[in-house]
Amino acid sequence: MSLDPVRLLERLIAIDSSNPALAPGGSGEIAIAGMCEEWLTAHGFEVHRLERHPGRPSLVAVARGTGGGRSLMLNGHLDTVGLGSYEGDPLGPEIRDGKIFGRGAFDMKSGVAAMMIAAARATGRGSLRGDVILACVADEEHASSGTEEVLEAFTADAAIVTEPSHLEVTLAHKGFAWFDVVVQGRAAHGSRPDLGVDAIAKAGHFLVALEEWGHRLADGEAHPSLGTGTVHASVIHGGEEPSTYPAHCRITVERRTVPGENADTVHAELTAVLDRLTTTVPEFSYRLHRGLHREPFEADPRQPIVRTLLRHAESALGHPPVIRAERYWTDCALLDRAGIPCLLFGVDGGGAHAATEWADTASLHRLTDILTDTITDFCS
């Protein structure tokens, strides 16, 4: 079978794996997991299928080492965002001008193709002492239930997440915390202001305070590579009809966090903002609900996996790779929390979640070569 990452990427793009939690009616990971399972089994991997959530499978493929070596996990997600916003055929991979186009080409079926080919090449070179583990996971684009399920049953001495990074090495990224603030009013006929309390108008005071909170964060102490945390209102719902005072106004707040911050610290900050309003704004009251939250990530650059990949990347690129931090969240944080030292490294390209998406084919080949050498070195 071919060990060309571009050919494998074409096959992956052609399969709809849009996340149904984001795009109602999305196909999910069943078909793409089946294709990957067949490919990995044919290349000698021991394949485990995890499917706590029916229709949302993740795969863990293992090439057992001879013993006494370090194990390495490569992690990539199988799901994509929806297809509806894509201009052209999202499932029709097209190569032109050194780029391959299609939904997921950049985010991140290119990384999945590279890690599968690299693992097959590295294990085909001869016996490695350490295990090589491929985690092809579901649901990263929504709640990362796939990686969470994998980490309940599998571990490794180190990991590489092959999210796209323009062949630059990502050693830190932000986290996030979502909260729902329900500002409470009192329903009444629109002709009876003496009886009603306008929850939407009261929510306006909170929105002003939220903006001021954001300014304080921007002026605060910054992380060396990630800057400061941020906060914004992302969704607002309130009211029932024009002639009624609204009893409730729900505002969803997202707080992006940097190392040293987490959902608990954000909860305390947000509660302080809201409690101040209860003492300064007449008839202001609220309920607060904590939603999904994910921790920020910061790798130790002295870890062996970081040094190993940097060495092989420099050899392949002809110069030391750029070390960067990302504002978005990735599964690196879950791996790190599970005690697995990790980093992020992936292809060049663009258009993640956009109307046109592409990966640079030369960078895909280079990524595959770097991963192959890193696996061979780390697991020997």
Side-chain angles (χ1 to χ4, degrees):
M1 292 186 182
S2 171
L3 290 180
D4 180 348
V6 176
R7 300 284 83 79
L8 180 56
L9 177 54
E10 287 181 305
R11 293 180 63 189
L12 295 173
I13 291 172
I15 300 173
D16 179 3
S17 58
S18 51
N19 191 318
L22 299 175
S27 294
E29 299 85 1
I30 292 177
I32 197 169
M35 176 256 155
C36 290
E37 183 174 8
E38 180 182 347
W39 192 97
L40 290 162
T41 300
H43 285 85
F45 288 85
E46 166 194 314
V47 181
H48 305 261
R49 187 183 181 102
L50 307 177
E51 197 170 351
R52 173 183 298 148
H53 302 287
R56 309 301 306 278
S58 296
L59 301 178
V60 178
V62 183
R64 301 287 179 186
T66 58
R70 296 175 297 194
S71 58
L72 180 62
M73 177 184 291
L74 293 97
N75 174 292
H77 65 84
L78 300 175
D79 61 318
T80 71
V81 294
L83 308 181
S85 63
Y86 197 87
E87 294 180 359
D89 183 358
L91 305 179
E94 179 184 358
I95 299 176
R96 64 177 188 274
D97 302 324
K99 302 174 181 178
I100 180 168
F101 293 82
R103 177 57 80 215
F106 185 57
D107 182 19
M108 63 162 293
K109 292 180 178 181
S110 53
V112 173
M115 73 186 202
M116 289 169 63
I117 295 292
R121 288 179 182 175
T123 55
R125 287 177 173 178
S127 297
L128 300 176
R129 292 197 300 158
D131 295 347
V132 180
I133 305 163
L134 299 179
C136 301
V137 300
D139 193 45
E140 190 276 345
E141 294 289 5
H142 179 242
S144 289
S145 62
T147 291
E148 287 189 321
E149 186 175 4
V150 166
L151 291 174
E152 291 177 8
F154 294 88
T155 190
D157 293 313
I160 300 170
V161 174
T162 57
E163 287 271 13
S165 70
H166 308 281
L167 293 179
E168 298 174 354
V169 179
T170 298
L171 297 183
H173 65 63
K174 289 187 174 183
F176 66 88
W178 295 343
F179 288 84
D180 279 345
V181 176
V182 181
V183 179
Q184 300 181 111
R186 185 163 59 246
H189 193 278
S191 66
R192 296 299 305 270
D194 55 316
L195 299 178
V197 175
D198 187 341
I200 295 176
K202 299 299 180 185
H205 293 276
F206 171 66
L207 293 173
V208 171
L210 186 71
E211 186 175 37
E212 293 170 349
W213 180 18
H215 292 321
R216 291 195 299 273
L217 289 171
D219 292 338
E221 184 177 354
H223 183 271
S225 58
L226 289 168
T228 64
T230 59
V231 66
H232 73 279
S234 51
V235 182
I236 185 166
H237 295 286
E240 297 182 17
E241 63 268 326
S243 61
T244 301
Y245 277 82
H248 306 284
C249 183
R250 179 182 293 267
I251 301 167
T252 300
V253 173
E254 180 182 71
R255 172 76 157 80
R256 291 280 166 165
T257 56
V258 298
E261 300 174 335
N262 56 41
D264 290 335
T265 65
V266 175
H267 188 276
E269 293 173 347
L270 182 52
T271 300
V273 170
L274 290 163
D275 286 348
R276 191 176 306 116
L277 292 174
T278 63
T279 63
T280 58
V281 177
E283 298 187 280
F284 185 93
S285 65
Y286 71 91
R287 300 194 311 272
L288 183 59
H289 305 280
R290 184 183 298 198
L292 182 67
H293 54 91
R294 297 298 189 197
E295 296 171 1
F297 160 71
E298 186 170 27
D300 183 347
R302 298 168 297 180
Q303 284 289 343
I305 185 56
V306 177
R307 297 200 306 268
T308 302
L309 186 135
L310 286 174
R311 183 169 62 252
H312 291 292
E314 180 173 355
S315 177
L317 299 174
H319 58 80
V322 172
I323 296 177
R324 64 187 289 177
E326 290 289 1
R327 296 182 179 183
Y328 57 74
W329 186 88
T330 78
D331 280 349
C332 280
L334 296 178
L335 293 157
D336 182 65
R337 188 180 68 185
I340 303 174
C342 61
L343 56 87
L344 186 151
F345 187 63
V347 297
D348 195 9
H353 300 204
T356 301
E357 184 176 354
W358 57 276
D360 178 86
T361 55
S363 77
L364 176 56
H365 285 291
R366 190 160 288 178
L367 169 65
T368 305
D369 291 342
I370 293 168
L371 292 177
T372 302
D373 291 340
T374 300
I375 295 167
T376 303
D377 187 351
F378 191 83
C379 298
S380 292

